[in-house]
Amino acid sequence: MENFLSLINVAAVKEVAVTDYVSFTFFIGCMAMMAASAFFFLSMNSFDSKWRTSILVSGLITFIAAVHYWYMRDYYLETNSSPTFFRYVDWILTVPLMCVEFYLILKAAGATKSMMWRLIFLSTIMLVTGYFGEAVYPAQAQIWGLISGIAYFVVVYDIWIGGAAKLAAAAGGSVEKAHKTLCWFVLVGWAIYPIGYMVGTGEGQWYSFLDGAADMDVIYNIGDAINKIGFGLVVYQLAAESK
Ligand SMILES: *C/C=C(C)/C=C/C=C(C)/C=C/C1=C(C)CCCC1(C)C
C-alpha cells in the first residue's frame, strides 16, 4: 500500500505557487480529461449501435490524455521542465485516433480504410518531425517545424477539400454538419500547437521574437482541452441528433 501511494503521489503533495499557471493547467487539464472520459464511456450505450464505436473512440482519446496528464502534471511539479516525451507519446496515440473519428463518421457514406490510413500517416509525419524539432534537433527547429507544418496542411486539405470533404457532402445532413465542425477544429484548434511550438523553440530561429513570449505548456494544455474534449462532443452531438 505504501509503495502504491508513493507511486501515484510522486509530487502531487508538493506546494504549488498560486501563480504557477503551467501547473494549474496541468491539474485542470488532467481532471477535465478524466471527467470527459467518464462522460463518454458512460453515455456510450445510450446510443444506437452504429455510433458506439465513435463514442468509444472519443472516450479513449480523453482517457489516454488523462493518463498522460497524470504523469505530466507530476513531472512538471518535480522537474519544472516540459514533459516533452509524455506529451508526444500522448499525441502519437490520440491524434491518429482523431483521424479514425473522421473515418468512422464517414464510413456509412463510403469512407475507405485507405483514406483513414492516409490521414494517420500524415499526422504521424507531422508529430514525429515536430518531436525532432522540439526535442532532438532544437537548433533546427524551424526546418522540422516546416516539414511538420506541410504535413498538417495536407491533412487540412484532405478533410476540407479532398476525398473526406466529398464524402461528407454526399452524406449531407447531420454527418456533413459534424464533419464541418471537426474540420474547423483541425484548422483553428490544431493551429494552437504550432504557436506553442514557436514560443517554445524560438531560440535562434526566424521566429525568435516569439521565444518565451508565453509558456509553451500552457498553450499546449489549452489546445489539448479544446481539441480532445471538443472533438468528442461533436461526435456525441452527432450521435444524439441521429439516434
Ligand atoms: C490531442 C492532441 C492534438 C490534437 C495535437 C495536435 C498537434 C499538432 C496539430 C501539432 C502540430 C505541429 C505543427 C503543425 C508544426 C510544429 C510542430 C507541431 C508538432 C507542434
Side-chain angles (χ1 to χ4, degrees):
M1 188 61 185
E2 206 171 300
N3 275 344
F4 176 68
L5 283 181
S6 65
L7 193 73
I8 61 168
N9 264 332
V10 192
V13 288
K14 259 195 176 167
E15 202 176 315
V16 187
V18 288
T19 50
D20 183 351
Y21 300 112
V22 184
S23 289
F24 184 83
T25 54
F26 272 126
F27 270 81
I28 209 161
C30 186
M31 202 60 242
M33 295 296 178
M34 288 190 205
S37 309
F39 177 77
F40 293 130
F41 289 147
L42 291 171
S43 70
M44 201 176 109
N45 286 321
S46 66
F47 294 113
D48 188 85
S49 61
K50 74 172 189 280
W51 294 118
R52 282 186 203 156
T53 315
S54 307
I55 304 286
L56 174 64
V57 173
S58 294
L60 287 176
I61 290 169
T62 53
F63 180 72
I64 291 169
V67 175
H68 285 90
Y69 267 78
W70 184 272
Y71 284 101
M72 291 198 286
R73 190 190 57 117
D74 272 356
Y75 181 98
Y76 183 78
L77 276 186
E78 267 304 274
T79 67
N80 241 295
S81 58
S82 293
T84 309
F85 174 81
F86 294 114
R87 177 79 73 190
Y88 276 84
V89 174
D90 173 329
W91 290 353
I92 207 83
L93 296 168
T94 53
V95 174
L97 283 174
M98 294 170 108
C99 298
V100 172
E101 290 281 36
F102 275 100
Y103 165 74
L104 287 174
I105 71 167
L106 295 175
K107 207 166 113 186
T112 57
K113 286 244 166 63
S114 74
M115 180 204 102
M116 178 186 83
W117 284 114
R118 190 181 140 93
L119 290 175
I120 292 176
F121 175 75
L122 287 163
S123 63
T124 304
I125 300 280
M126 173 183 86
L127 295 173
V128 170
T129 52
Y131 186 75
F132 281 166
E134 203 171 310
V136 189
Y137 309 108
Q140 281 88 45
Q142 55 195 13
I143 309 292
W144 292 108
L146 176 69
I147 302 172
S148 174
I150 292 170
Y152 167 56
F153 276 117
V154 182
V155 170
V156 169
Y157 173 86
D158 270 23
I159 57 172
W160 273 90
I161 303 161
K166 293 189 183 103
L167 287 174
S174 45
V175 168
E176 185 182 15
K177 206 180 96 198
H179 175 84
K180 216 351 115 39
T181 314
L182 293 184
C183 284
W184 278 109
F185 269 99
V186 173
L187 184 67
V188 181
W190 288 22
I192 294 170
Y193 297 96
I195 298 171
Y197 179 88
M198 288 165 100
V199 159
T201 65
E203 198 188 325
Q205 315 299 307
W206 69 263
Y207 47 86
S208 60
F209 61 95
L210 285 172
D211 188 35
D215 193 283
M216 182 181 74
D217 284 298
V218 171
I219 298 176
Y220 283 166
N221 291 351
I222 292 172
D224 279 354
I226 292 175
N227 289 298
K228 293 184 163 64
I229 300 172
F231 237 69
L233 288 174
V234 174
V235 174
Y236 178 90
Q237 170 78 19
L238 171 62
E241 258 175 34
S242 43
K243 232 171 191 171

